[in-house]
């Protein structure tokens, strides 16, 4: 029998997968008589490759963590579902700042592009935390069979999320490129270890 | 065992999630020698943010209500499935008027853009009502275990939908911006309470 | 337990739903100093509305029929799966000719646009028939519990498909607009009745 | 009960289906006073048709093989899930080089376009092999009921993948068109037979 939370899990899975796959629309080359040779353009697209990999891995890992959290939740109320929609709204927005980083990194406007990109990650981390705190505080919506140790493990995994994304944001004041690099590092090194912290 | 209604529920879920995620394509910035600085452009994109949030939340909440209604339906006939396709056709259309609002709000043509946007919501509400009335009148397709009180609760939740979207449409004659604001307010305040009216 | 055919049904469902939702990208308005007023443009977009509705309903109904056929199939072999991929390849292609019809109907090039559109439907109908004949001839892959009468009903439903789309194609020689109208009529009148022929 | 691998299978299925369906965005025609007649343009789009069919069939068949491999895997650990994300990152990237091949084949820049296209297939084949070796070496994550013969069959099916894509890459030095043709041939002739090698 489908649990009450299956109700928003399928929808969430769909939004995660579609948002990740739409990221490919960040890649653009120009044609026309004045366009540089394609090989040249493809090498100079490296900000696009960087932004694509960072966003794709981040969405993938948020999806994994989301799935893991939802497994501990026994029932969904309207507040949880609304918070979940806000989380999805932020995830589905990510292809836009990703395209900004792809288009503007190392060019005029890179700072504004990376601020929006980093701010999206900060907002995502905040909403994700609120969503999880709402579900887990006092075990409000948690299934009876879930041990407290599992919740504590998820809490520990969540704890550094917001500070790390805030640091990435602050680094953008000094170097937008380094800031995107930090976001990639978070996706590659931190999040995978956190995702399955409890196992 | 999959119920007879699982038949169109997966397909509907897919269309809802994809339409919501395609909304991000509403965000556009311009490049080139004459383009304003990116930071400036991003601040002036607020109609895009407004239109995106309004449409994303509305689709999310229509999806939740759809799911809730389908749970009461025991079997699907060809009329219900055709009405369901018409509902999806309207939902999948929404990214276009959303982009219109994003591009034209506070500019020449904003009235036409918001008329199309509001009209889409009115048509969506009408088809949704027809779909539900068809399923529920005389309990035509309703499962035996579903109490009449659940149907009455859904009916009460549906009742203000069309009038509210018609009012939003009429307000656009006077102020397109206020009209979009009303649509956002409907998504944030009215629909969530209606969605789970019965619980 | 998931049947052997669940193997390609989820994938097919995804492709059908995504192709249908991508159709919205057919709608385009132009901006700039020389652009006609938006209201004017939106009225002159009627070929887009027509093409969108025709393709959306056709995909939706093909999906329903596909689902219905798959329910009678007990196991999938590699030929069936390859034929299924070819069918999906054609369905996923449909957003392109739909955009052609949206852009060119009633303009120079409408004949070429509608030829491609109609040819896509003809090819889709042919592949669909080959797919079904392969599965059902001599009950090759059909489940034991499925009565012959169900197969005959599906065969009867399939029979007029290719001729109707060929007629629509031929009508395009004389009138591209009438040809698209016939495709819409097929989706609205013929296919829904065929989909559930057996019930 | 959902197996532990259902965890990333739904997400993977979504990414495969969406990436395949986004390929249709490779088709582009130009309008305006200087544009060639549409019929002429549509005939000269054959590199788009070729690239679309090649990529669509390849994704479809990779999806089938993926599904088949996952059925032998009993549990997922964090390394497998990260490798799976890398595989999806490559699959979701494919619409970009596909559009490059569609736009540049038989024109200036075709070599660069096909190099990127072929390199994507090589990287995909390498990650796919690493993913499968990680799961199957010493039966690390394989279910107990899966016979060794099934694993050997999959290993045999995987073996020629990387060499074939490397050959396609090398052929592009001499003829980009022939290289794309080889990729199509791999999708049509080799992969389907490999997919179900064990049956």
């Amino acid at each position: 029998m489908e649990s009450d939370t299956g109700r928003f899990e399928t929808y969430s899975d769909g939004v995660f997968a579609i948002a990740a796959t739409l990221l490919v629309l960040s890649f653009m080359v120009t044609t026309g008589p004045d366009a540089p040779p394609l090989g040249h353009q493809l090498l100079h697209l490296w900000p696009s490759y960087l932004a694509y990999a960072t966003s794709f891995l981040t969405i993938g890992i948020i999806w994994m963590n989301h799935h893991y959290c939802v497994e501990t939740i026994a029932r969904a109320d309207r507040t949880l579902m609304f918070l979940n929609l806000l989380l999805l709204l932020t995830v589905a927005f990510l292809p836009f700042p990703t395209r900004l980083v792809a288009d503007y990194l190392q060019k005029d406007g890179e700072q504004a592009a990376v601020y929006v990109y980093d701010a999206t990650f900060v907002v995502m981390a905040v909403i994700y935390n609120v969503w999880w705190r709402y579900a887990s505080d006092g075990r409000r919506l948690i299934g009876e069979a879930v041990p407290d140790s599992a919740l504590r493990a998820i809490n520990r995994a969540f704890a550094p999320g917001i500070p790390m994304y805030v640091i990435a944001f602050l680094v953008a004041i000094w170097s937008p490129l380094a800031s995107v690099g930090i976001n990639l590092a978070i996706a590659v090194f931190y999040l995978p270890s956190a995702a399955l912290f409890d196992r």
Side-chain angles (χ1 to χ4, degrees), chain A:
Chain A
M1 216 184 77
E2 193 183 62
S3 85
D4 203 37
T5 56
R7 193 162 179 173
F8 64 86
E9 187 151 26
T10 319
Y11 189 75
S12 306
D13 281 8
V15 170
F16 283 123
I18 302 156
T21 316
L22 286 183
L23 294 169
V24 74
L25 303 181
S26 301
F27 294 98
M28 285 289 159
V29 294
T30 54
T31 52
D34 300 335
L38 181 61
H40 185 84
Q41 286 192 59
L42 290 171
L43 291 177
H44 283 74
L45 272 184
W46 63 263
S48 298
Y49 305 122
L50 175 64
Y52 173 78
T54 303
S55 296
F56 194 94
L57 293 176
T58 304
I59 292 178
I61 287 157
I62 288 177
W63 168 77
M64 279 196 248
N65 284 319
H66 187 264
H67 196 97
Y68 188 64
C69 291
V70 169
E71 275 176 12
T72 70
I73 298 177
R75 58 195 186 79
D77 65 9
R78 76 177 75 166
T79 304
L80 188 79
M81 288 170 89
F82 196 76
L83 290 171
N84 196 64
L85 263 189
L86 289 183
L87 177 64
L88 296 179
L89 183 149
T90 322
V91 170
F93 177 69
L94 199 56
F96 173 60
T98 302
R99 206 179 56 207
L100 291 179
V101 171
D103 288 351
Y104 287 91
L105 201 61
Q106 304 289 78
K107 294 184 195 151
D108 270 1
E110 64 169 350
Q111 211 127 19
V114 175
Y115 284 160
V116 172
Y117 190 59
D118 288 354
T120 306
F121 283 134
V122 172
V123 169
M124 204 184 286
V126 168
I127 295 174
Y128 205 174
N129 264 273
V130 171
W131 176 83
W132 172 245
R133 298 294 163 193
Y134 179 77
S136 64
D137 273 6
R139 303 180 64 95
R140 187 182 281 117
L141 305 171
I142 303 296
E144 283 186 22
V146 177
D148 277 343
S149 64
L151 302 185
R152 279 193 304 268
I154 295 178
N155 287 342
R156 272 197 308 275
F158 266 102
I162 298 178
M164 288 173 85
Y165 283 118
V166 168
I167 289 170
F169 187 95
L170 295 175
V171 166
I173 300 170
W174 165 70
S175 164
L177 177 57
S179 176
V180 178
I182 290 173
N183 286 324
L184 179 60
I186 294 173
V188 173
F189 297 109
Y190 165 66
L191 288 177
S193 66
L196 304 164
F197 210 80
D198 185 43
R199 310 219 147 173

